[in-house]
Amino acid sequence: MNDTSTVGRREELCRNLESVRARMAAACTQAGRAPDSVRLVAISKFHPASDIRALVACGQREFGESYAQEALAKQDELVGEDILWHFVGGLQSKKAKSVVGRFGLVHSVDSEKLARELAKRAREARVLQPVLIEVNMGEEQKAGVEEAELPALARLVLSLGEGGFGLDLRGLMCLPPVFDSPEEAGPAFEYLRELRDGLAAELGVPLPELSMGMTGDFEAAIAEGATIVRVGTAIFGPRPQRG
Ligand SMILES: *Cc1c(COP(=O)(O)O)cnc(C)c1O
């Protein structure tokens, strides 16, 4: 790539970032929420480390990845940059060891097996790994714990943080079905918030984080109480095909 196109790409990314931030701020105002009550995680899967570096230079600090191998390679490429990494993809138990301690937040704990494996690896590494539980929002989805099993999994995750090393349960995440319009996503987000409120009351813990909302529906998610939105396409443009 020549210098002109590199500069062009950087400007495009920064412009997109500013536009997403402005839309988030407007959604916060509309909902009567403080602008700093929602964090933006830029979902960088399939995009190169150079794009991430450009966005860091425009002030973006939190990035999310969905595939462990790809994420770890980018982390290695970007050592020294001030980045807080999120892991948002489906995670196999056998990959638990490679992600523990390398992501500020793992959004996708959805089984007892994965929780136990992550906790074991966290204890070995003597870290307290912040996590969210991913909740299944529709039968066409494979990921996420069923609502009926959520309380038991949450209790387990809480118990896996006792003693200071292991897992630190911060809240819930969802990836609802793709709707035709953002308005249709609202009830799904409202539902996750209510699940969170009920669970927090039942277990007597705060569970402050709600990770919900992507490019097509982050404003609706903010209206329903999202504390973390995960935005890829609106910042980076369409994802390149995976090679
Ligand atoms: C890819 C991905 C996103 C970003 O999706 P966009 O529609 O591009 O904003 C958010 N969350 C998860 C879990 C993802 O896998």
Side-chain angles (χ1 to χ4, degrees):
M1 225 193 298
N2 65 37
D3 283 353
T4 327
S5 65
T6 309
V7 171
R9 177 63 176 158
R10 195 189 306 150
E11 283 170 355
E12 179 190 5
L13 288 165
C14 293
R15 214 168 35 239
N16 291 347
L17 176 67
E18 284 318 308
S19 146
V20 169
R21 288 204 174 282
R23 286 169 59 189
M24 288 174 63
C28 284
T29 304
Q30 180 98 35
R33 302 181 56 191
D36 63 0
S37 63
V38 189
R39 289 146 67 189
L40 172 62
V41 176
I43 304 296
S44 46
K45 62 174 183 258
F46 306 174
H47 295 289
S50 56
D51 280 1
I52 297 175
R53 197 174 276 120
L55 286 161
V56 170
C58 339
Q60 176 62 22
R61 181 165 178 260
E62 302 193 54
F63 292 87
E65 290 277 341
S66 296
Y67 300 91
Q69 213 179 334
E70 178 190 354
L72 296 171
K74 282 183 204 165
Q75 288 185 348
D76 289 344
E77 224 177 306
L78 293 162
V79 271
E81 299 281 1
D82 179 25
I83 294 174
L84 182 69
W85 292 97
H86 293 248
F87 192 84
V88 304
L91 189 58
Q92 293 168 290
S93 302
K94 64 178 190 220
K95 296 269 175 67
K97 185 179 177 183
S98 66
V99 308
V100 153
R102 294 193 60 163
F103 294 85
L105 187 62
V106 174
H107 293 225
S108 46
V109 174
D110 66 353
S111 73
E112 177 180 331
K113 184 175 177 214
L114 176 59
R116 288 192 189 281
E117 188 63 21
L118 281 168
K120 177 178 163 208
R121 299 307 181 176
R123 283 198 217 96
E124 282 170 8
R126 302 183 69 76
V127 297
L128 188 61
Q129 172 67 58
V131 297
L132 305 178
I133 292 178
E134 179 174 356
V135 180
N136 187 292
M137 301 294 279
E139 53 266 20
E140 69 268 42
Q141 287 178 286
K142 282 167 267 142
V145 65
E146 298 295 332
E147 184 194 330
E149 289 152 28
L150 175 62
L153 181 59
R155 275 204 182 82
L156 173 72
V157 173
L158 285 174
S159 75
L160 292 171
E162 285 162 7
F165 301 117
L167 303 185
D168 177 19
L169 181 59
R170 307 288 304 154
L172 302 181
M173 178 269 219
C174 77
L175 210 162
V178 177
F179 297 101
D180 293 333
S181 73
E183 291 72 37
E184 290 175 64
F189 297 140
E190 181 184 12
Y191 186 72
L192 191 74
R193 172 167 47 81
E194 287 172 358
L195 272 184
R196 188 278 309 270
D197 293 348
L199 191 63
E202 186 181 333
L203 303 179
V205 292
L207 304 180
E209 304 288 3
L210 277 178
S211 167
M212 55 189 197
M214 320 199 302
T215 289
D217 52 23
F218 67 86
E219 284 133 322
I222 289 171
E224 295 298 342
T227 61
I228 298 174
V229 293
R230 311 179 308 265
V231 179
T233 309
I235 297 173
F236 293 91
R239 279 182 279 280
Q241 291 299 332
R242 231 160 44 119

